[in-house]
Amino acid sequence: MERLQATFDKLLRETSYTFHRYMYDRINWNARIVGLLGPRGVGKTTMMLQYIKENLPRKETLYVVAEDLYFSSHTLLDLADAFARTGGKYLVIDEIHKYKGWSRELKLIYDYHSELHVFFTGSSVLDIYKGVSDLSRRVLAYEMQGLSYREYLSLFHQIDLPTYNLQQIINQEVVVPRGFLPLQYFADYLKRGYYPFRDDNFETYLMNVVNATLEVDLAQYADLTPATIRKLKRLLIIIAQAAPFKPNFTQIGGQLEVSRNNIANLCVWLEKAGLIGQLRDSTGGLQGLGKVDKVYLDNSTLIYILGNKNTEIGTIRETFFYNQMRVTTDIISSHISDFEIDGMTFEVGGKKKKQKQIQNAAKGYIVKDDIETGYGNIIPLWQFGLTY
């Protein structure tokens, strides 16, 4: 316990709180058990440590990582028992998916220790979703994505812009501050801005994130065999080189020697792990009723890391729009254009994009890259990065 506390103190000292992710103020921190889920590398651990540092009494709080050696001879319930006996009130468990049987013990902690508040982070892979489902009456779960363009500007360039909802954006209500050049950093965001870390080894670090997601998170906690993981890697490369594309699961299955239905399942695993996005023709969430119409890499940064060097800018633009809008809206495919949101049609392109694709749309909008301000039904692409 002393070593756990010492490690916790060190992490708190190293935690900066000058920048908060969008999810920070959306969480009901008063709930008995709060779960923060999401892909690797989007800042879940940092946000938890920030909340502890800014809001919780240190003497009543303990932070642990679920893969700590402490758990080679102790259980989560052991830890909660010991912590509660010393007056502990706030137990924070990072990467809880790395602890086998976590959901059962979390239920026991909830039942046995009404005095404890438990916060945990976890991967967004299947095992976490299943566990949270089992604890649906006890856990308040949140899903966090990577940086929006607005957050990127704040974190890396100290440019603070307000959030705008979709209606404000299409109504041309976005105010461009004096001296702010909207496109100055936009290309850099598309290439390197989705993940909240930045160093000289950025590409290597992100590739490690991708490999760990496949080889550790999915392999160990979705009970996938090494052979299946190899097929997942091959499938991810196929998607990276061709996205966005209308999926032909039969054809892809032939390439990977996997049945059509299994390819669909593999895509769902990649989607939940935050590596791809699947645009459906109706709402319903992951594995919902909607048929998959297009498959994308999850975000534009992944395109530059995994995709073909000659990836078309049109692919990057569509990926950005889809990636940013899915956080706050239900976005589906359009039968006449690129995307549909709440009955509105959106065609995404460069500054020379014409109105042809949306001429039969009841409410149609042209989303243009390489322009700073919009007019009428023409909206700058970068503004859709201000929604969270």
Side-chain angles (χ1 to χ4, degrees), residues 10 81 84 86 101 154 158 176 182 193 254 286-287 357 370 372 383:
K10 179 178 183 296
D81 290 341
T86 62
S154 178
Q158 293 71 56
V176 180
L286 295 179
Q287 288 183 302
Q357 283 88 347
D370 299 322
E372 294 187 348
Q383 291 187 1

Side-chain angles (χ1 to χ4, degrees), residues 164-183:
Y164 292 90
N165 62 39
L166 177 60
Q167 197 62 48
Q168 290 172 314
I169 293 172
I170 64 176
N171 288 344
Q172 306 289 356
E173 295 177 19
V174 173
V175 177
V176 180
R178 183 182 299 273
F180 171 58
L181 301 176
L183 302 179

Side-chain angles (χ1 to χ4, degrees), residues 255-281:
Q255 291 179 255
L256 299 182
E257 298 180 350
V258 175
S259 72
R260 183 187 188 283
N261 289 339
N262 282 339
I263 288 294
N265 290 334
L266 291 178
C267 284
V268 169
W269 288 330
L270 289 175
E271 184 176 22
K272 288 187 174 181
L275 295 176
I276 69 171
Q278 298 192 93
L279 180 68
R280 294 170 170 83
D281 61 6

Side-chain angles (χ1 to χ4, degrees), residues 15-193:
T15 298
S16 168
Y17 48 86
T18 55
F19 169 79
H20 289 152
R21 290 300 318 279
Y22 75 99
M23 190 60 73
Y24 189 91
D25 294 323
R26 297 187 182 187
I27 291 177
N28 177 8
W29 297 100
N30 295 318
R32 283 275 310 280
I33 303 183
V34 173
L36 180 62
L37 312 179
R40 280 181 177 257
V42 297
K44 302 185 298 295
T45 298
T46 298
M47 197 178 80
M48 282 291 185
L49 288 169
Q50 286 176 331
Y51 183 78
I52 295 169
K53 191 170 185 175
E54 295 177 294
N55 297 281
L56 300 182
R58 173 62 186 88
K59 292 183 178 180
E60 297 176 351
T61 306
L62 176 62
Y63 165 95
V64 297
V65 180
E67 62 178 349
D68 193 281
L69 288 176
Y70 173 89
F71 296 109
S72 62
S73 56
H74 300 81
T75 66
L76 279 178
L77 187 57
D78 290 337
L79 177 67
D81 290 341
F83 182 54
R85 285 196 298 269
T86 62
K89 292 184 179 179
Y90 304 96
L91 179 60
V92 183
I93 307 164
D94 199 11
E95 298 187 318
I96 199 170
H97 59 282
K98 294 185 177 180
Y99 183 95
K100 189 174 182 179
W102 66 273
S103 58
R104 179 178 58 83
E105 291 200 38
L106 202 58
K107 176 182 179 299
L108 293 176
I109 293 172
Y110 181 95
D111 293 341
Y112 295 165
H113 292 289
S114 61
E115 73 279 18
L116 282 181
H117 287 264
V118 180
F119 308 113
F120 69 86
T121 72
S123 167
S124 51
V125 297
L126 291 177
D127 192 55
I128 284 290
Y129 277 85
K130 182 176 183 298
V132 169
S133 177
D134 294 341
L135 292 164
S136 59
R137 296 183 181 180
R138 298 171 174 83
V139 174
L140 190 57
Y142 298 86
E143 179 92 20
M144 188 165 80
Q145 301 297 329
L147 295 177
S148 66
Y149 183 46
R150 186 191 70 84
E151 290 182 303
Y152 158 87
L153 289 171
S154 178
L155 176 61
F156 293 116
H157 301 289
Q158 293 71 56
I159 298 172
D160 295 320
L161 301 177
T163 58
Y164 292 90
N165 62 39
L166 177 60
Q167 197 62 48
Q168 290 172 314
I169 293 172
I170 64 176
N171 288 344
Q172 306 289 356
E173 295 177 19
V174 173
V175 177
V176 180
R178 183 182 299 273
F180 171 58
L181 301 176
L183 302 179
Q184 182 177 5
Y185 301 110
F186 190 51
D188 183 68
Y189 168 80
L190 293 174
K191 188 173 183 179
R192 295 161 57 89

